[in-house]
Short mmCIF file of all heavy atoms in Angstrom, two decimals:
data_model
loop_
_atom_site.label_atom_id
_atom_site.label_comp_id
_atom_site.label_asym_id
_atom_site.label_seq_id
_atom_site.Cartn_x
_atom_site.Cartn_y
_atom_site.Cartn_z
N GLU A 656 37.02 -11.20 -42.81
CA GLU A 656 37.23 -11.88 -41.54
C GLU A 656 38.60 -11.53 -40.96
O GLU A 656 39.60 -11.49 -41.69
CB GLU A 656 37.18 -13.40 -41.72
CG GLU A 656 35.81 -13.99 -41.95
CD GLU A 656 35.87 -15.51 -42.06
OE1 GLU A 656 36.78 -16.02 -42.73
OE2 GLU A 656 35.01 -16.18 -41.47
N THR A 657 38.62 -11.29 -39.67
CA THR A 657 39.91 -11.12 -38.97
C THR A 657 40.50 -12.51 -38.68
O THR A 657 39.84 -13.53 -38.82
CB THR A 657 39.70 -10.38 -37.65
OG1 THR A 657 38.89 -11.19 -36.77
CG2 THR A 657 39.01 -9.04 -37.87
N LYS A 658 41.75 -12.48 -38.25
CA LYS A 658 42.41 -13.75 -37.91
C LYS A 658 41.66 -14.46 -36.80
O LYS A 658 41.48 -15.69 -36.85
CB LYS A 658 43.86 -13.47 -37.49
CG LYS A 658 44.65 -14.73 -37.13
CD LYS A 658 46.07 -14.39 -36.68
CE LYS A 658 46.79 -15.66 -36.27
NZ LYS A 658 48.18 -15.37 -35.81
N GLU A 659 41.20 -13.71 -35.79
CA GLU A 659 40.47 -14.32 -34.68
C GLU A 659 39.15 -14.94 -35.16
O GLU A 659 38.78 -16.03 -34.74
CB GLU A 659 40.18 -13.28 -33.60
CG GLU A 659 39.52 -13.87 -32.36
CD GLU A 659 39.25 -12.84 -31.27
OE1 GLU A 659 39.43 -11.63 -31.53
OE2 GLU A 659 38.85 -13.23 -30.16
N MET A 660 38.49 -14.25 -36.06
CA MET A 660 37.23 -14.79 -36.59
C MET A 660 37.47 -16.07 -37.37
O MET A 660 36.71 -17.04 -37.25
CB MET A 660 36.54 -13.74 -37.47
CG MET A 660 36.00 -12.56 -36.70
SD MET A 660 35.51 -11.17 -37.78
CE MET A 660 34.12 -11.89 -38.64
N VAL A 661 38.54 -16.11 -38.16
CA VAL A 661 38.87 -17.32 -38.93
C VAL A 661 39.14 -18.49 -37.98
O VAL A 661 38.65 -19.61 -38.19
CB VAL A 661 40.08 -17.08 -39.83
CG1 VAL A 661 40.56 -18.39 -40.45
CG2 VAL A 661 39.73 -16.08 -40.93
N GLU A 662 39.88 -18.22 -36.91
CA GLU A 662 40.19 -19.28 -35.94
C GLU A 662 38.92 -19.81 -35.26
O GLU A 662 38.76 -21.02 -35.07
CB GLU A 662 41.18 -18.77 -34.90
CG GLU A 662 42.59 -18.53 -35.46
CD GLU A 662 43.50 -17.87 -34.44
OE1 GLU A 662 43.02 -17.47 -33.36
OE2 GLU A 662 44.72 -17.74 -34.74
N LEU A 663 38.02 -18.91 -34.91
CA LEU A 663 36.77 -19.33 -34.27
C LEU A 663 35.92 -20.16 -35.23
O LEU A 663 35.36 -21.19 -34.86
CB LEU A 663 35.99 -18.11 -33.81
CG LEU A 663 36.56 -17.36 -32.61
CD1 LEU A 663 35.88 -15.99 -32.47
CD2 LEU A 663 36.36 -18.17 -31.32
N ARG A 664 35.83 -19.71 -36.48
CA ARG A 664 35.03 -20.45 -37.46
C ARG A 664 35.62 -21.82 -37.72
O ARG A 664 34.89 -22.83 -37.79
CB ARG A 664 34.93 -19.65 -38.77
CG ARG A 664 34.17 -20.37 -39.87
CD ARG A 664 33.97 -19.48 -41.08
NE ARG A 664 35.21 -18.90 -41.57
CZ ARG A 664 36.13 -19.54 -42.28
NH1 ARG A 664 35.97 -20.82 -42.56
NH2 ARG A 664 37.23 -18.90 -42.68
N GLU A 665 36.93 -21.89 -37.84
CA GLU A 665 37.57 -23.17 -38.12
C GLU A 665 37.47 -24.12 -36.93
O GLU A 665 37.27 -25.34 -37.11
CB GLU A 665 39.03 -22.96 -38.51
CG GLU A 665 39.19 -22.30 -39.88
CD GLU A 665 40.64 -22.05 -40.25
OE1 GLU A 665 41.51 -22.18 -39.34
OE2 GLU A 665 40.92 -21.74 -41.43
N THR A 666 37.56 -23.57 -35.72
CA THR A 666 37.41 -24.41 -34.53
C THR A 666 35.97 -24.97 -34.46
O THR A 666 35.78 -26.15 -34.18
CB THR A 666 37.70 -23.60 -33.26
OG1 THR A 666 39.05 -23.13 -33.32
CG2 THR A 666 37.52 -24.47 -32.02
N ALA A 667 35.00 -24.10 -34.72
CA ALA A 667 33.60 -24.57 -34.72
C ALA A 667 33.39 -25.63 -35.80
O ALA A 667 32.69 -26.62 -35.57
CB ALA A 667 32.66 -23.38 -34.95
N GLY A 668 34.01 -25.45 -36.95
CA GLY A 668 33.89 -26.43 -38.02
C GLY A 668 34.48 -27.77 -37.63
O GLY A 668 33.88 -28.83 -37.87
N ARG A 669 35.66 -27.76 -37.01
CA ARG A 669 36.29 -29.00 -36.57
C ARG A 669 35.45 -29.69 -35.49
O ARG A 669 35.23 -30.91 -35.55
CB ARG A 669 37.70 -28.70 -36.05
CG ARG A 669 38.41 -29.91 -35.42
CD ARG A 669 39.79 -29.57 -34.92
NE ARG A 669 39.80 -28.46 -33.98
CZ ARG A 669 39.47 -28.56 -32.70
NH1 ARG A 669 39.09 -29.73 -32.17
NH2 ARG A 669 39.52 -27.50 -31.90
N LEU A 670 35.00 -28.91 -34.52
CA LEU A 670 34.18 -29.49 -33.46
C LEU A 670 32.88 -30.06 -34.03
O LEU A 670 32.39 -31.11 -33.57
CB LEU A 670 33.87 -28.43 -32.42
CG LEU A 670 35.04 -27.97 -31.55
CD1 LEU A 670 34.64 -26.71 -30.76
CD2 LEU A 670 35.48 -29.08 -30.59
N GLY A 671 32.32 -29.40 -35.04
CA GLY A 671 31.11 -29.89 -35.67
C GLY A 671 31.32 -31.21 -36.37
O GLY A 671 30.47 -32.11 -36.32
N GLN A 672 32.46 -31.36 -37.03
CA GLN A 672 32.77 -32.64 -37.67
C GLN A 672 32.90 -33.75 -36.62
O GLN A 672 32.43 -34.87 -36.81
CB GLN A 672 34.06 -32.51 -38.46
CG GLN A 672 33.93 -31.63 -39.71
CD GLN A 672 35.26 -31.43 -40.41
OE1 GLN A 672 36.33 -31.70 -39.86
NE2 GLN A 672 35.20 -30.92 -41.63
N GLU A 673 33.51 -33.39 -35.48
CA GLU A 673 33.69 -34.38 -34.42
C GLU A 673 32.34 -34.77 -33.79
O GLU A 673 32.07 -35.95 -33.54
CB GLU A 673 34.64 -33.85 -33.35
CG GLU A 673 36.07 -33.67 -33.84
CD GLU A 673 36.97 -32.98 -32.81
OE1 GLU A 673 36.47 -32.72 -31.69
OE2 GLU A 673 38.13 -32.69 -33.14
N SER A 674 31.49 -33.79 -33.51
CA SER A 674 30.21 -34.10 -32.88
C SER A 674 29.30 -34.87 -33.85
O SER A 674 28.53 -35.73 -33.42
CB SER A 674 29.50 -32.83 -32.41
OG SER A 674 29.25 -31.93 -33.48
N ASP A 675 29.43 -34.58 -35.14
CA ASP A 675 28.67 -35.35 -36.12
C ASP A 675 29.15 -36.79 -36.17
O ASP A 675 28.35 -37.73 -36.20
CB ASP A 675 28.80 -34.68 -37.49
CG ASP A 675 27.98 -35.38 -38.56
OD1 ASP A 675 26.83 -35.79 -38.24
OD2 ASP A 675 28.46 -35.54 -39.68
N ARG A 676 30.45 -36.97 -36.16
CA ARG A 676 31.01 -38.33 -36.16
C ARG A 676 30.60 -39.09 -34.89
O ARG A 676 30.23 -40.26 -34.96
CB ARG A 676 32.53 -38.28 -36.29
CG ARG A 676 33.22 -39.64 -36.16
CD ARG A 676 34.72 -39.52 -36.32
NE ARG A 676 35.31 -38.55 -35.41
CZ ARG A 676 35.59 -38.78 -34.12
NH1 ARG A 676 35.32 -39.97 -33.59
NH2 ARG A 676 36.16 -37.86 -33.37
N LEU A 677 30.69 -38.40 -33.75
CA LEU A 677 30.40 -39.07 -32.49
C LEU A 677 28.91 -39.39 -32.30
O LEU A 677 28.56 -40.44 -31.80
CB LEU A 677 30.87 -38.20 -31.31
CG LEU A 677 32.39 -38.10 -31.11
CD1 LEU A 677 32.70 -36.99 -30.11
CD2 LEU A 677 32.95 -39.43 -30.64
N PHE A 678 28.03 -38.43 -32.73
CA PHE A 678 26.62 -38.67 -32.40
C PHE A 678 25.64 -38.01 -33.38
O PHE A 678 24.47 -37.85 -33.07
CB PHE A 678 26.31 -38.16 -30.98
CG PHE A 678 25.23 -38.96 -30.32
CD1 PHE A 678 25.45 -40.26 -29.92
CD2 PHE A 678 23.98 -38.41 -30.11
CE1 PHE A 678 24.44 -41.01 -29.31
CE2 PHE A 678 22.97 -39.14 -29.50
CZ PHE A 678 23.19 -40.45 -29.11
N GLY A 679 26.08 -37.66 -34.57
CA GLY A 679 25.15 -37.13 -35.54
C GLY A 679 24.50 -35.81 -35.15
O GLY A 679 23.31 -35.58 -35.41
N VAL A 680 25.27 -34.92 -34.54
CA VAL A 680 24.78 -33.61 -34.14
C VAL A 680 25.80 -32.55 -34.54
O VAL A 680 27.02 -32.81 -34.57
CB VAL A 680 24.52 -33.50 -32.62
CG1 VAL A 680 23.31 -34.32 -32.21
CG2 VAL A 680 25.74 -33.93 -31.81
N ARG A 681 25.32 -31.35 -34.89
CA ARG A 681 26.20 -30.26 -35.27
C ARG A 681 25.38 -28.97 -35.29
O ARG A 681 24.17 -29.01 -35.54
CB ARG A 681 26.83 -30.53 -36.65
CG ARG A 681 27.66 -29.38 -37.19
CD ARG A 681 28.59 -29.81 -38.30
NE ARG A 681 27.94 -30.62 -39.32
CZ ARG A 681 28.61 -31.38 -40.19
NH1 ARG A 681 29.92 -31.45 -40.13
NH2 ARG A 681 27.96 -32.07 -41.10
N SER A 682 26.01 -27.84 -35.08
CA SER A 682 25.30 -26.57 -35.12
C SER A 682 25.08 -26.12 -36.56
O SER A 682 26.02 -26.03 -37.35
CB SER A 682 26.09 -25.49 -34.37
OG SER A 682 25.46 -24.23 -34.54
N GLU A 683 23.81 -25.84 -36.88
CA GLU A 683 23.49 -25.33 -38.21
C GLU A 683 24.00 -23.90 -38.38
O GLU A 683 24.16 -23.42 -39.51
CB GLU A 683 21.98 -25.40 -38.45
CG GLU A 683 21.15 -24.26 -37.92
CD GLU A 683 21.17 -24.08 -36.41
OE1 GLU A 683 21.47 -25.07 -35.69
OE2 GLU A 683 20.90 -22.97 -35.93
N GLY A 684 24.25 -23.18 -37.26
CA GLY A 684 24.72 -21.81 -37.34
C GLY A 684 26.06 -21.68 -38.06
O GLY A 684 26.33 -20.63 -38.67
N TYR A 685 26.87 -22.72 -38.01
CA TYR A 685 28.19 -22.70 -38.69
C TYR A 685 28.03 -22.42 -40.17
O TYR A 685 28.90 -21.80 -40.80
CB TYR A 685 28.89 -24.04 -38.47
CG TYR A 685 30.14 -24.21 -39.28
CD1 TYR A 685 31.33 -23.58 -38.90
CD2 TYR A 685 30.14 -25.02 -40.42
CE1 TYR A 685 32.48 -23.76 -39.67
CE2 TYR A 685 31.28 -25.20 -41.17
CZ TYR A 685 32.46 -24.55 -40.80
OH TYR A 685 33.59 -24.71 -41.55
N PHE A 686 26.92 -22.86 -40.75
CA PHE A 686 26.71 -22.73 -42.19
C PHE A 686 25.94 -21.45 -42.55
O PHE A 686 25.52 -21.27 -43.69
CB PHE A 686 25.93 -23.95 -42.72
CG PHE A 686 26.64 -25.25 -42.46
CD1 PHE A 686 26.34 -26.01 -41.35
CD2 PHE A 686 27.62 -25.72 -43.33
CE1 PHE A 686 26.97 -27.22 -41.09
CE2 PHE A 686 28.26 -26.92 -43.08
CZ PHE A 686 27.95 -27.67 -41.97
N ASN A 687 25.76 -20.54 -41.59
CA ASN A 687 24.91 -19.38 -41.82
C ASN A 687 25.48 -18.13 -41.14
O ASN A 687 24.78 -17.41 -40.44
CB ASN A 687 23.50 -19.67 -41.28
CG ASN A 687 22.49 -18.63 -41.68
OD1 ASN A 687 22.56 -18.04 -42.75
ND2 ASN A 687 21.51 -18.37 -40.82
N LEU A 688 26.75 -17.88 -41.38
CA LEU A 688 27.44 -16.81 -40.66
C LEU A 688 27.51 -15.48 -41.44
O LEU A 688 27.79 -14.45 -40.83
CB LEU A 688 28.86 -17.25 -40.31
CG LEU A 688 28.98 -18.37 -39.26
CD1 LEU A 688 30.41 -18.86 -39.15
CD2 LEU A 688 28.47 -17.89 -37.91
N GLU A 689 27.27 -15.51 -42.73
CA GLU A 689 27.42 -14.29 -43.52
C GLU A 689 26.12 -13.49 -43.53
O GLU A 689 25.12 -13.92 -44.11
CB GLU A 689 27.83 -14.67 -44.95
CG GLU A 689 29.22 -15.27 -45.04
CD GLU A 689 29.65 -15.49 -46.48
OE1 GLU A 689 28.99 -14.92 -47.39
OE2 GLU A 689 30.60 -16.25 -46.71
N HIS A 690 26.13 -12.35 -42.87
CA HIS A 690 24.94 -11.52 -42.78
C HIS A 690 25.31 -10.04 -42.76
O HIS A 690 26.39 -9.66 -42.31
CB HIS A 690 24.15 -11.85 -41.49
CG HIS A 690 23.50 -13.19 -41.52
ND1 HIS A 690 22.30 -13.43 -42.14
CD2 HIS A 690 23.91 -14.38 -41.00
CE1 HIS A 690 21.99 -14.71 -42.01
NE2 HIS A 690 22.94 -15.31 -41.33
N ASP A 691 24.37 -9.26 -43.24
CA ASP A 691 24.40 -7.82 -43.03
C ASP A 691 23.62 -7.57 -41.74
O ASP A 691 22.40 -7.47 -41.73
CB ASP A 691 23.76 -7.09 -44.20
CG ASP A 691 23.80 -5.57 -44.03
OD1 ASP A 691 24.13 -5.09 -42.94
OD2 ASP A 691 23.44 -4.88 -45.00
#
Side-chain angles (χ1 to χ4, degrees):
E656 287 182 317
T657 65
K658 180 181 178 181
E659 184 179 9
M660 290 168 67
V661 170
E662 290 174 353
L663 288 166
R664 177 174 52 77
E665 290 179 347
T666 300
R669 173 179 56 79
L670 290 168
Q672 291 175 346
E673 293 173 5
S674 61
D675 183 40
R676 174 179 54 80
L677 288 169
F678 210 70
V680 289
R681 174 162 49 198
S682 174
E683 85 296 338
Y685 171 77
F686 301 95
N687 190 33
L688 292 171
E689 293 185 15
H690 290 279
D691 182 349

